[in-house]
Amino acid sequence: MANCSICPRKCGVDRDIKKGFCGVGSTLKAARAGLHFWEEPCICSSGGAGAVFFSGCNLRCIYCQNEKISRGCAGKEITVSRLREIFDELIWQGADVIDLVTPTHYTDIIIRALSEEKLPVPVVWNSSAYEEPETLKRLEGLVDIYLPDYKYSDPSLAAKLSGAADYPEKAREAIKEMYRQTGDFTLDKDGMMLGGVIIRHLVLPGFVENTLGCLDDITEMFSGENVMISLMSQYTPPEKALPVPSLNRRLTNEEYEKAIGYLYLLGWENGFVQELSSAESEFTPDFDCSGV
């Protein structure tokens, strides 16, 4: 994998020889595979999402909830054939979808696993949206549902919290390409998504204005008839103290209600909101290589 340019970092590293900015080489590495019950209801019902959590990440979010695998790169090396077996095992267990979590830096390998034969359930690309449209174009016809974050509307905040000042621009370009591939979201008779885009945004404590800016950006790009929005409240402070004071606490009711109020003010009806939770580990699984 000479001169890697899969993502906007374009670190140019030969990942056959050394690790890229994402922290991993050219070998596929995963930290967990199993049924996950905390995705949006239209992609995760009683069967759960068949989630594969990949190791490494091309962002450097200081508040990352999955730091053990995103920066620590904990996980187990597996082959393309084993990844395909994992997909089949999850479907046999009853998974509603195959949910590829933080997959960007393994795009080449994942394409090989998905190209063998069309899976009988939708494939979900669950990413940060810090991606290149040219890379995403290679997934056309292989991915049914895109589940991107849209973290920041402010480049300076993106630089401060995730080390990527170009995040807003790159994420908008990526999400537009995702929508080009899927078109407007479609649901089956039971309300389960067959294809489309759900844009996630995690409201950060102390940064509600960023959330309002993100909702403005999304509304400028799309309407509620085209894509869904998932406005998340599940921010969990990491164990270590962060240099940004507000990120050392949970989101308040007032902050989240302001975000929800603005979402409705903009006219959004198709999407999801959450209840505030005090259970810090509720949405974070153990990355113990189970299922891998």
Side-chain angles (χ1 to χ4, degrees), residues 6-8 15 28 39-40 43 49-54 58 83 87 97-115 118-119 121-150 170-171 174-175 177-179 181-182 193-200:
I6 285 177
C7 82
R15 288 169 53 193
L28 183 66
E39 307 292 35
E40 284 71 12
I43 59 174
V52 183
F53 292 86
F54 295 105
N58 65 348
L83 179 61
F87 295 162
V97 298
I98 292 299
D99 184 14
L100 307 173
V101 186
T102 319
T104 305
H105 41 294
Y106 296 118
T107 299
D108 295 336
I109 301 173
I110 292 171
I111 286 173
R112 290 161 58 194
L114 291 176
S115 296
K118 182 68 175 174
L119 293 173
V121 299
V123 173
V124 179
W125 190 262
N126 184 342
S127 76
S128 70
Y130 192 51
E131 300 176 277
E132 287 290 348
E134 291 304 313
T135 299
L136 292 168
K137 285 177 182 177
R138 299 173 57 212
L139 296 166
E140 189 163 6
L142 299 176
V143 170
D144 304 287
I145 299 168
Y146 283 99
L147 187 60
D149 293 334
Y150 186 62
K170 290 296 185 180
I175 293 171
E177 169 58 24
M178 295 172 184
Y179 174 73
Q181 293 183 25
T182 67
M193 184 174 274
L194 299 173
V197 179
I198 305 174
I199 303 174
R200 284 175 162 177

Side-chain angles (χ1 to χ4, degrees), residues 59-258:
L59 284 180
R60 288 291 181 268
C61 303
I62 65 173
Y63 51 85
C64 182
Q65 293 175 306
N66 296 345
E67 187 174 9
K68 181 179 178 181
I69 60 172
S70 65
R71 290 201 200 183
C73 297
K76 178 181 177 182
E77 292 187 353
I78 58 174
T79 62
V80 177
S81 60
R82 175 57 190 147
L83 179 61
R84 183 71 189 202
E85 287 176 356
I86 290 171
F87 295 162
D88 293 337
E89 289 167 5
L90 292 170
I91 293 168
W92 180 82
Q93 292 171 33
D96 296 308
V97 298
I98 292 299
D99 184 14
L100 307 173
V101 186
T102 319
T104 305
H105 41 294
Y106 296 118
T107 299
D108 295 336
I109 301 173
I110 292 171
I111 286 173
R112 290 161 58 194
L114 291 176
S115 296
E116 291 184 19
E117 183 181 352
K118 182 68 175 174
L119 293 173
V121 299
V123 173
V124 179
W125 190 262
N126 184 342
S127 76
S128 70
Y130 192 51
E131 300 176 277
E132 287 290 348
E134 291 304 313
T135 299
L136 292 168
K137 285 177 182 177
R138 299 173 57 212
L139 296 166
E140 189 163 6
L142 299 176
V143 170
D144 304 287
I145 299 168
Y146 283 99
L147 187 60
D149 293 334
Y150 186 62
K151 297 177 181 290
Y152 310 107
S153 57
D154 177 7
S156 62
L157 186 63
K160 180 179 181 179
L161 301 186
S162 293
D166 60 347
Y167 176 89
E169 174 188 359
K170 290 296 185 180
R172 287 193 296 269
E173 291 175 354
I175 293 171
K176 287 177 182 178
E177 169 58 24
M178 295 172 184
Y179 174 73
R180 185 198 67 77
Q181 293 183 25
T182 67
D184 297 350
F185 69 84
T186 55
L187 306 175
D188 68 13
K189 61 181 177 61
D190 298 316
M192 298 298 290
M193 184 174 274
L194 299 173
V197 179
I198 305 174
I199 303 174
R200 284 175 162 177
H201 174 76
L202 176 65
V203 185
L204 297 174
F207 294 100
V208 177
E209 293 305 315
N210 173 63
T211 292
L212 305 188
C214 287
L215 295 178
D216 281 336
D217 286 354
I218 296 168
T219 302
E220 184 179 342
M221 290 190 289
F222 304 107
S223 76
E225 300 303 314
N226 304 132
V227 304
M228 291 187 178
I229 286 182
S230 181
L231 191 63
M232 301 188 296
S233 64
Q234 67 198 54
Y235 177 79
T236 303
E239 293 181 1
K240 64 180 182 181
L242 297 176
V244 180
S246 67
L247 296 181
N248 293 313
R249 62 171 174 83
R250 296 185 72 84
L251 195 67
T252 66
N253 282 308
E254 291 74 18
E255 289 172 320
Y256 193 51
E257 287 171 3
K258 183 175 181 180

